[in-house]
Amino acid sequence: MPGYLEFVSVFGIHNHFREPRFSGFRDQCSFTKNTKLEVDSLGRSGRQFQLCWNLKAPGKWTEVGTLTPGSEKWSVRQGAFHHQFDVENGTTLWIITKPGLDIKDRIQDVTGKSGNEEDRRFTNPEQCMRSSFAIHLLIGHWATEKWRQYFQWLEDKIEDETFLLVYDARGPGHSKQLYSSCNLQRAQELEEQTNEATMALQGNADVLTSLGNFYKALSESDDFPLRKSCSSDIGAFLRQVDNFIYDSNMQIARGTMTFLYLPGTFVSVSESRPSVNATLINDFDRPSSAPTS
């Protein structure tokens, strides 16, 4: 499917995650017998549908040589997916492009001897489609399972950078901490990272919605030969997709509100920077001293 090349093109030499807004879903159906697509030796009847899409997920990593507690970092990575299903023979093709081998290992667990028996049956088209849903759900779990931990990490980092700026350390034995432009810059970088994560999640939610809409339309199409025999499997799959979308929307709301509900009055680095800078400039002129009662 030519559209898959568009999703693969984002994998290049990048130092950082640069395209949080790039998300998409493509589909192509050919249920009428097409001799040009028919390849008996590969189990291809010429009646098939093809899908390609991308999703994003956060992952934790540690720089080489840094093993101290709290030194771990997070980044958001892309995954590009292509799926082709022959509705007559049940022949299935998956092409997955992403950093790391975690999804490959998961698929091997699902389809191997340790997986559920119903997820590794391929004797007829209905069983093949049921097994393909297991891979779909595996990818959905990968794209949704770690966002909560990622946003918690971002919130902790933001609070570390802004806590004293908001509350001001006043009390016996405490001296006023002066903030520099570096502190504000780190807070701004965290804000931008939070915004990028929220945009990536919104893209995921849109793609998952498109995926669900495709299979819903497929189950209602008279041209789809497995419409009746796979209706219950499609229904169960769509309910799981709805759960993924719900979880994504919950984390989107969390990311959107992260800078609105920090302790005190700190709302947003970008929105409040002029007044905050003014406060900091005044503070720089004052010597650090213990407060008096």
Side-chain angles (χ1 to χ4, degrees):
M1 191 173 182
Y4 188 62
L5 297 177
E6 182 181 3
F7 298 110
V8 176
S9 66
V10 302
F11 294 92
I13 302 176
H14 297 294
N15 293 327
H16 301 286
F17 178 65
R18 297 288 188 184
E19 299 187 77
R21 296 183 180 87
F22 178 70
S23 297
F25 178 87
R26 307 285 186 273
D27 66 84
Q28 187 177 52
C29 296
S30 178
F31 296 144
T32 304
K33 197 76 169 179
N34 188 339
T35 56
K36 293 182 179 180
L37 299 176
E38 187 175 355
V39 184
D40 292 335
S41 60
L42 298 178
R44 297 180 181 176
S45 66
R47 304 176 65 196
Q48 63 183 23
F49 65 80
Q50 297 182 78
L51 309 173
C52 62
W53 68 100
N54 70 333
L55 291 168
K56 309 170 192 73
K60 185 166 61 175
W61 56 281
T62 303
E63 291 183 354
V64 177
T66 56
L67 299 177
T68 56
S71 62
E72 67 275 0
K73 297 183 179 180
W74 287 77
S75 62
V76 179
R77 300 296 180 88
Q78 296 238 20
F81 308 92
H82 170 82
H83 175 52
Q84 180 175 307
F85 187 85
D86 189 291
V87 299
E88 188 171 307
N89 297 325
T91 307
T92 304
L93 172 67
W94 285 94
I95 302 175
I96 297 174
T97 307
K98 68 172 294 295
L101 300 175
D102 52 329
I103 287 187
K104 173 180 176 291
D105 294 337
R106 295 187 193 191
I107 292 175
Q108 289 178 335
D109 289 339
V110 168
T111 59
K113 294 181 180 180
S114 60
N116 294 329
E117 186 176 353
E118 64 178 8
D119 294 336
R120 48 191 179 91
R121 290 178 179 173
F122 307 97
T123 55
N124 57 53
E126 287 79 8
Q127 291 179 350
C128 291
M129 171 154 276
R130 190 175 300 116
S131 298
S132 74
F133 285 146
I135 307 301
H136 269 303
L137 295 177
L138 183 153
I139 293 170
H141 281 293
W142 168 81
T144 56
E145 64 187 358
K146 292 185 178 180
W147 286 103
R148 182 180 62 82
Q149 296 95 316
Y150 181 41
F151 277 114
Q152 184 62 58
W153 178 82
L154 283 171
E155 290 168 359
D156 291 343
K157 289 292 184 181
I158 292 167
E159 187 168 348
D160 289 343
E161 291 294 336
T162 61
F163 184 82
L164 290 178
L165 176 62
V166 173
Y167 283 119
D168 191 9
R170 298 180 184 276
H174 292 277
S175 61
K176 186 175 182 65
Q177 178 171 336
L178 300 183
Y179 274 74
S180 68
S181 59
C182 292
N183 296 105
L184 286 178
Q185 184 178 359
R186 285 195 294 268
Q188 183 184 10
E189 289 171 353
L190 289 167
E191 182 188 24
E192 292 172 352
Q193 199 171 349
T194 303
N195 290 338
E196 287 185 351
T198 303
M199 286 188 290
L201 258 175
Q202 184 61 63
N204 278 4
D206 293 341
V207 169
L208 290 168
T209 299
S210 297
L211 179 65
N213 289 340
F214 171 81
Y215 277 103
K216 185 176 185 297
L218 199 65
S219 68
E220 298 171 350
S221 173
D222 293 332
D223 296 329
F224 181 49
L226 306 179
R227 178 171 58 90
K228 293 182 179 179
S229 57
C230 289
S231 60
S232 60
D233 295 312
I234 294 176
F237 171 70
L238 291 178
R239 287 190 290 273
Q240 291 293 320
V241 172
D242 285 342
N243 289 339
F244 293 146
I245 296 170
Y246 176 81
D247 290 343
S248 297
N249 287 332
M250 290 295 291
Q251 295 305 321
I252 290 169
R254 180 178 184 176
T256 302
M257 306 304 287
T258 294
F259 277 81
L260 296 178
Y261 286 99
L262 284 172
T265 59
F266 187 83
V267 176
S268 170
V269 173
S270 60
E271 293 177 357
S272 61
R273 188 177 298 113
S275 59
V276 171
N277 279 341
T279 302
L280 293 178
I281 291 171
N282 291 334
D283 289 342
F284 292 155
D285 295 333
R286 303 171 190 169
S288 177
S289 60
T292 58
S293 55

